[in-house]
């Protein structure tokens, strides 16, 4: 339709002959026009082209006249969704708005909507007026379900439904519908929601390695080895199950765990304890023996020292931990 | 717009939306089940003449199917739309927000991630003239609409509605985060169960749901036998 308009307008530029009362209506100020204006010449006039018998590019005999645009007959309170029920290209005869679009020539305005290609090119939302959206949503309401009112806070959701499964869907235009990234599944959960004892928890953390984040206590399993999302989800659940059961198992070789393998520092049987014990024993000069050592261990200053050393080793050095250590040492050595 | 490409969703009339959507209507959690309430599903064949008459759901029979399976719960549904034209995305955002409000979906954040401009510099001429180049750029604008705490059927309805009205030249990426309970087989470690025929069924359940991987299937199989026989064989972790 745009091409036909263009051809007609090329003709019309060559012959500006619609004078009314001697005034040039088309170009009152003789300015350059766009080659998009429709010719107002009556198409019933034969412009001198040979009659090619209802064939040929300008087929005028059998064409009926284009009547008034629909906009002339539109009442103000019409039902607009009937005019544009679905996504359709812009029809200038159906839209009663004086829309202008395009780059203006010098000292001009953007061209009008009649025969304007720019308005046809851009996607329009004329079928989605607020009234139409409300109507659609009313029709769609029966298919929606309500969110359960008991799960109004995030904490409650996490308490009852701790496992979070994340996946992505893609919608785009292209030669293919599929997007290979749509098969990836992320499974996230907090280890605190699982039934794990101390040994099982440590073993689980060692088994998963990089996938565990200590700060948020979150285990994140990402699966993308299968071609279908359902398969990846099943695989992630399978991994979780196997990890859980394996971490509860106690292997024979796990009893050979050395101090270097331990995740946390424990003061018992450490060089620090031995040193302090020997120091205190020498200070006391009360005699050696198991009973003395046990009695020393039971003292509150030794407990404080143990706490401060454990805190330093586990949490790292900071102002408060160093102060605590200093105070414990002072008390212990009676400085 | 008349490019010969396959569009990622079918553009159909609104009459048929109900046909498509009603197939997925499902309701209720475990706590509230509707037994035996199922309306017959009649496929709607609208003649082409009805397209422009604007008759909506008030005249069409409502075919809502209620199934007994529990609805999925989505903690967050994030809809990211990408396009080359910011004005189109603005209009689409208005549409999506209004639709969410009308359907009763709680909106989270609605924000605009920064645009991405990809530029390339090419030679202007077919042959020689290295000093004269031409530069093109492709601008991709984004808009993100986050919905929080949506049920599965509502999310399906909303997303289908949004996606059917996705304008030309706009792509969408939907990230769904669903919440689930801890699966039953993880509540208790299976080594505490008495060594009866229960164990093989657990293993079979694991094996059936998992893809075929030889080294992984071997470890759970030999696991309980190890426990029973109390062998000292070292075993690798399953992860």
């Amino acid at each position: 339709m745009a091409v036909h308009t263009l051809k007609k307008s090329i003709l019309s530029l060559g012959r500006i002959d619609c004078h009314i009362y001697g005034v040039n209506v088309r170009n009152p100020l003789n300015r350059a026009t766009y080659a998009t204006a429709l010719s107002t010449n009556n198409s019933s006039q034969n412009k001198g082209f040979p009659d090619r018998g209802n064939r040929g590019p300008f087929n005028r005999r059998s064409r009926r006249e284009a009547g008034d645009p629909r906009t002339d007959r539109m009442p103000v309170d019409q039902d607009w969704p009937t005019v544009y029920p679905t996504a359709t290209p812009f029809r200038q005869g159906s839209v009663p708005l004086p829309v202008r679009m395009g780059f203006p020539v010098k000292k001009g305005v953007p061209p009008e909507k009649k025969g304007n290609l720019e308005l046809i090119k851009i996607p329009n939302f004329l079928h989605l007026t607020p009234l139409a959206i409300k109507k659609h949503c009313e029709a769609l309401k029966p298919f929606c379900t309500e969110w359960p009112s008991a799960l109004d806070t995030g904490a409650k959701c996490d308490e009852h439904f701790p496992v979070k499964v994340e996946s992505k869907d893609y919608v785009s235009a292209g030669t293919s519908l599929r997007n290979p990234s749509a098969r990836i599944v992320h499974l996230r959960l907090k280890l605190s929601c699982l039934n794990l004892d101390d040994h099982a928890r440590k073993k689980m953390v060692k088994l998963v390695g990089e996938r565990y984040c200590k700060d948020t206590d979150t285990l994140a399993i990402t699966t993308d080895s299968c071609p279908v999302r359902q398969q990846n989800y099943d695989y992630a659940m399978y991994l979780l199950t196997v990890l859980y059961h394996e971490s509860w198992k106690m292997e024979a070789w796990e009893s050979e765990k050395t101090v270097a393998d331990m995740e946390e520092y424990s003061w018992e049987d450490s060089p620090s304890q031995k040193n302090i014990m020997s120091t205190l024993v020498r200070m006391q000069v009360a005699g050696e023996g198991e009973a003395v050592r046990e009695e020393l261990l039971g003292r509150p200053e030794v407990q404080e020292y143990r706490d401060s050393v454990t805190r330093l080793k586990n949490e790292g050095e900071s102002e408060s931990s160093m102060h605590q250590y200093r105070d414990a040492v002072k008390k212990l050595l009676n400085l | 717009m008349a490019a010969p490409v396959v569009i990622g969703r079918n553009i159909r009339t609104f009459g048929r939306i109900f046909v498509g959507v009603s197939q997925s209507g499902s309701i209720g959690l475990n706590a509230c089940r509707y037994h035996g309430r199922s309306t017959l599903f009649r496929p709607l064949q609208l003649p082409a003449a009805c397209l422009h008459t604007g008759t909506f759901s008030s005249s069409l029979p409502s075919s809502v199917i209620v199934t007994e399976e529990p609805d999925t719960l989505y903690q967050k549904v994030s809809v990211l739309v990408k396009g080359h034209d910011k004005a189109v995305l603005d209009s689409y955002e208005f549409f999506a927000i209004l639709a969410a409000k009308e359907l009763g979906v709680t909106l989270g954040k609605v924000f605009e991630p920064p645009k991405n401009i990809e530029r390339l510099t090419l030679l202007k001429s077919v042959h020689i003239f290295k000093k004269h180049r031409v530069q093109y750029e492709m601008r991709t604008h984004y808009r993100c609409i986050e919905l929080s705490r949506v049920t599965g059927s509502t999310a399906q309805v909303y997303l289908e509605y949004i996606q059917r009205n996705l304008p030309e030249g706009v792509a969408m990426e939907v990230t769904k985060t669903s919440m689930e309970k801890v699966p039953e087989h993880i509540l208790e470690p299976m080594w505490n169960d008495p060594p009866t025929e229960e164990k093989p069924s657990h293993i079979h359940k694991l094996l059936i749901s998992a893809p075929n991987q030889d080294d992984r299937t071997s470890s759970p199989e030999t696991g309980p036998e190890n426990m029973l026989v109390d062998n000292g064989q070292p075993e690798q972790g399953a992860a």
Side-chain angles (χ1 to χ4, degrees), chain A residues 5-18:
Chain A
T5 314
L6 197 60
K7 282 189 185 162
K8 277 188 106 177
S9 53
I10 287 173
L11 274 183
S12 63
L13 271 184
R15 267 164 271 200
I16 302 174
D17 53 356
C18 52

Side-chain angles (χ1 to χ4, degrees), chain B residues 73-143:
Chain B
L73 297 170
Y74 289 113
Q75 185 187 31
K76 191 170 83 159
V77 174
S78 168
V79 175
L80 176 77
V81 270
K82 312 188 242 193
H84 292 301
D85 198 337
K86 195 154 170 259
V88 172
L89 291 180
D90 286 335
S91 307
Y92 190 73
E93 178 200 321
F94 173 81
F95 155 66
I97 288 174
L98 187 59
K101 284 199 190 118
E102 291 295 315
L103 284 175
V105 174
T106 41
L107 278 176
K109 295 187 288 178
V110 177
F111 61 103
E112 186 183 347
K115 66 178 185 279
N116 177 39
I117 304 180
E118 188 185 327
R119 294 192 174 99
L120 36 129
T121 311
L122 305 170
L123 297 174
K124 198 187 252 189
S125 166
V126 162
H127 180 57
I128 52 170
F129 303 121
K130 188 71 173 240
K131 283 196 280 187
H132 302 89
R133 314 242 183 161
V134 69
Q135 289 183 315
Y136 296 105
E137 65 178 25
M138 288 176 282
R139 297 187 176 189
T140 311
H141 300 268
Y142 301 94
R143 212 47 78 98

Side-chain angles (χ1 to χ4, degrees), chain A residues 171-215:
Chain A
V171 178
S172 64
T175 45
S176 161
L177 295 182
R178 326 249 169 231
N179 193 320
S181 316
R183 71 184 199 279
I184 300 173
V185 170
H186 303 273
L187 189 98
R188 287 191 188 95
L189 79 155
K190 288 202 188 283
L191 282 190
S192 49
C193 66
L194 290 178
N195 180 15
L196 291 167
D197 71 350
D198 195 42
H199 156 261
R201 205 196 141 83
K202 288 184 181 161
K203 185 166 176 185
M204 172 86 105
V205 171
K206 273 198 192 286
L207 281 175
V208 299
E210 278 279 318
R211 297 167 186 85
Y212 177 70
C213 172
K214 216 170 83 170
D215 300 322

Side-chain angles (χ1 to χ4, degrees), chain A residues 31-68:
Chain A
R31 295 217 173 112
T33 49
Y34 266 71
T36 55
L38 271 178
S39 160
T40 51
N41 280 335
N42 206 341
S43 52
S44 60
Q45 291 175 15
N46 199 342
K47 292 209 173 173
F49 280 92
D51 182 14
R52 294 181 206 179
N54 291 353
R55 283 179 289 114
F58 301 109
N59 202 353
R60 279 193 182 78
R61 283 270 177 86
S62 55
R63 256 188 83 217
R64 58 193 167 88
E65 288 180 17
D68 297 327

Side-chain angles (χ1 to χ4, degrees), chain A residues 52-309:
Chain A
R52 294 181 206 179
N54 291 353
R55 283 179 289 114
F58 301 109
N59 202 353
R60 279 193 182 78
R61 283 270 177 86
S62 55
R63 256 188 83 217
R64 58 193 167 88
E65 288 180 17
D68 297 327
R70 188 173 167 181
T71 50
D72 295 344
R73 282 171 279 130
M74 278 184 174
V76 177
D77 54 349
Q78 68 173 328
D79 187 24
W80 180 253
T82 50
V83 183
Y84 264 89
T86 50
T88 338
F90 183 83
R91 289 187 299 264
Q92 52 94 11
S94 306
V95 179
L97 302 166
V99 192
R100 290 182 168 268
M101 184 142 167
F103 193 81
V105 285
K106 272 192 216 172
K107 296 181 195 171
V109 288
E112 52 181 11
K113 64 177 180 177
K114 241 181 172 184
N116 196 333
L117 191 62
E118 296 293 322
L119 281 166
I120 301 174
K121 286 196 294 192
I122 197 78
N124 65 63
F125 283 79
L126 292 163
H127 59 292
L128 292 173
T129 49
L131 190 65
I133 297 172
K134 290 188 173 105
K135 275 192 187 171
H136 299 159
C137 291
E138 261 178 50
L140 292 173
K141 257 302 199 185
F143 300 101
C144 299
T145 53
E146 272 184 15
W147 182 258
S149 47
L151 296 172
D152 44 356
T153 59
K156 280 192 201 161
C157 293
D158 290 337
E159 182 198 326
H160 296 288
F161 298 93
V163 177
K164 310 272 191 286
V165 178
E166 186 186 306
S167 58
K168 285 194 182 188
D169 293 307
Y170 299 87
V171 178
S172 64
T175 45
S176 161
L177 295 182
R178 326 249 169 231
N179 193 320
S181 316
R183 71 184 199 279
I184 300 173
V185 170
H186 303 273
L187 189 98
R188 287 191 188 95
L189 79 155
K190 288 202 188 283
L191 282 190
S192 49
C193 66
L194 290 178
N195 180 15
L196 291 167
D197 71 350
D198 195 42
H199 156 261
R201 205 196 141 83
K202 288 184 181 161
K203 185 166 176 185
M204 172 86 105
V205 171
K206 273 198 192 286
L207 281 175
V208 299
E210 278 279 318
R211 297 167 186 85
Y212 177 70
C213 172
K214 216 170 83 170
D215 300 322
T216 52
D217 186 33
T218 316
L219 169 66
I221 299 175
T222 303
T223 40
D224 63 346
S225 44
C226 307
V228 175
R229 187 191 294 166
Q230 182 60 32
Q231 291 175 344
N232 277 319
Y233 170 73
D234 291 337
Y235 180 45
M237 283 304 191
Y238 164 75
L239 279 181
L240 184 65
T241 314
V242 168
L243 278 171
Y244 179 77
H245 291 302
E246 285 293 314
S247 60
W248 271 97
K249 262 166 53 172
M250 187 71 174
E251 304 291 337
W253 45 263
E254 283 187 42
S255 52
E256 296 162 22
K257 193 175 179 187
T258 60
V259 175
D261 294 327
M262 299 283 182
E263 296 85 7
E264 286 176 337
Y265 176 80
S266 70
W267 191 72
E268 287 79 24
D269 298 329
S270 74
S272 169
Q273 186 193 20
K274 293 188 195 108
N275 291 339
I276 276 293
M277 285 297 117
S278 54
T279 314
L280 285 174
V281 160
R282 268 185 255 135
M283 268 168 57
Q284 293 259 323
V285 200
E288 294 243 347
E290 275 302 318
V292 180
R293 281 185 184 266
E294 275 174 27
E295 187 239 321
L296 284 174
L297 270 176
R299 284 206 285 178
E301 292 98 8
V302 178
Q303 304 287 331
E304 268 185 38
Y305 180 76
R306 182 195 71 185
D307 292 335
S308 64
V309 169

